[in-house]
Amino acid sequence: MSNKKKVMTSGNLAFAEAMRQINPDVVAAYPITPSTEIPMRFADFVANGKVDSEYVAVESEHSAISACVGASISGARVMTASSANGVALMHEIFPIAASFRAPIVFGLVNRSLGAPVNIHCDHSDSMPERDSGWVQIYCEDAQEVYDSVLLAVRLAEDARVLTPVFVCQDGFITSHCYEPVELLDDETVRGFVGERKAAYPLLNVDNPVSYGSFTMSEYYFEIKRNQMEGMNHVLPVYEEVAAELAKETGRYYAPVEDYRADDADYLIVIMSSAAGVVKDVVDELRDEGVKAGMLRVRFFRPFPAEELARLARGKKGVAVLDRSASIGGTAPLAAEIKSALYNLEQRVPVQEYIFGLGGRDFFASDARAVFERMMKNDYRAGARFIGLLERGGEDVRD
């Protein structure tokens, strides 16, 4: 067993500390709130000689991800971070990174997309990238952020996967709030992540390769199919590396966290930091004789549909809480849950809620009201909104 130590730290600084221990070859970044602390702290590590990484200071987020892709296909281990509009500016390059099978690990600190300008948390920056071909992992707390960075490196670089990974955490809620985090020692971390062994590095002059060449329809379809197969391997490979890390830490993170869900009649499905509020309400309702439970979706891509269908089978009601909206359509998590439950022999009623946009608070009373609506069999079509100030819209507590 490794030497461990507990420190008081934040999600951002836990991510940066994991980066220091991993000592990536290249980090290219253009800081943006609320992810600024990650490249800022890492730049300190570079300046003080605590890592021998090449830190590339660029003129925009688009340049940052472009530099990351170039370094990754050249054979380097690469990491970066961004948020919100910075993520949006990178959008053009994300599908290219995934198609190149560039195993970049990316700290995505969730923040709302403007306008109006808002620097607080929702998932409107990461959800538009759900079809970009990247793995998406959503963390509840700073400890999970730290552990997920280590897992992400192994997962992204595995020859069966070779897919870039977003490690997502809620802006300010997780990224800036301090809590106890258990750190592994440097030797253990470096032993766990190992060295990257790139199969087709761009700079190998003895075995020249080409990236980004033009492809007609004769081969494009096959390339996409191959990329999809890499994503299909993510969850089985993740089970292997997560079990390995659990031997060192005692912490195992399932793709879907099941909180008192096995015998529950009613479930809330949610992601990231808001899960803690729901857990408290589940415990309160259990004490009152209500069979409440929660499912926290940790992997949004690939989406663990089979596991979610198994956990939701036979329930009297499921409520899906999205921290982002698909304006004119079904919110992302709700759409995936409905698809996952569609083929069950017995229909499971699903409610949809949108909460927390722009950092709007989510209270225990909100979670309780959701459970109460499920118990009343109130399953009107369309999404409801949690925490509205305007009375013209429907507030979940009405």
Side-chain angles (χ1 to χ4, degrees), residues 295-373:
L295 300 177
R296 178 173 68 91
V297 176
R298 174 167 155 76
F299 274 80
F300 191 78
R301 284 292 182 270
F303 195 75
E306 291 185 8
E307 179 68 0
L308 282 158
R310 182 187 71 79
L311 291 166
R313 181 181 290 112
K315 304 306 182 188
K316 294 180 179 178
V318 171
V320 185
L321 276 60
D322 270 276
R323 201 163 198 152
S324 62
S326 179
I327 298 172
T330 303
L333 182 58
E336 295 287 352
I337 294 295
K338 286 185 172 185
S339 176
L341 303 186
Y342 181 80
N343 288 324
L344 291 178
E345 293 181 4
Q346 181 182 352
R347 178 178 177 269
V348 177
V350 176
Q351 292 182 358
E352 305 165 41
Y353 294 89
I354 293 171
F355 79 102
L357 301 185
R360 180 64 57 86
D361 286 332
F362 176 65
F363 297 104
S365 58
D366 298 320
R368 178 176 282 270
V370 170
F371 279 114
E372 289 172 353
R373 277 195 188 274

Side-chain angles (χ1 to χ4, degrees), residues 156-170:
E157 294 180 2
D158 191 285
R160 294 164 289 181
V161 174
L162 277 181
T163 301
V165 179
F166 291 128
V167 178
C168 303
Q169 59 175 307
D170 283 351

Side-chain angles (χ1 to χ4, degrees), residues 38-61:
I38 295 175
M40 183 179 74
R41 176 58 65 93
F42 193 78
D44 283 344
F45 293 147
V46 173
N48 294 326
K50 294 185 177 181
V51 293
D52 52 17
S53 307
E54 183 71 28
Y55 183 86
V56 186
V58 292
E59 73 280 4
S60 74
E61 290 89 353

Side-chain angles (χ1 to χ4, degrees), residues 261-272:
D262 285 347
D263 66 338
D265 290 329
Y266 304 98
L267 293 176
I268 283 180
V269 183
I270 200 164
M271 300 196 306
S272 299

Side-chain angles (χ1 to χ4, degrees), residues 208-227:
V209 295
S210 176
Y211 284 86
S213 55
F214 181 74
T215 306
M216 288 291 288
S217 53
E218 291 89 345
Y219 292 100
Y220 184 88
F221 205 138
E222 283 71 19
I223 291 168
K224 288 290 128 180
R225 171 60 189 272
N226 182 269
Q227 186 182 343

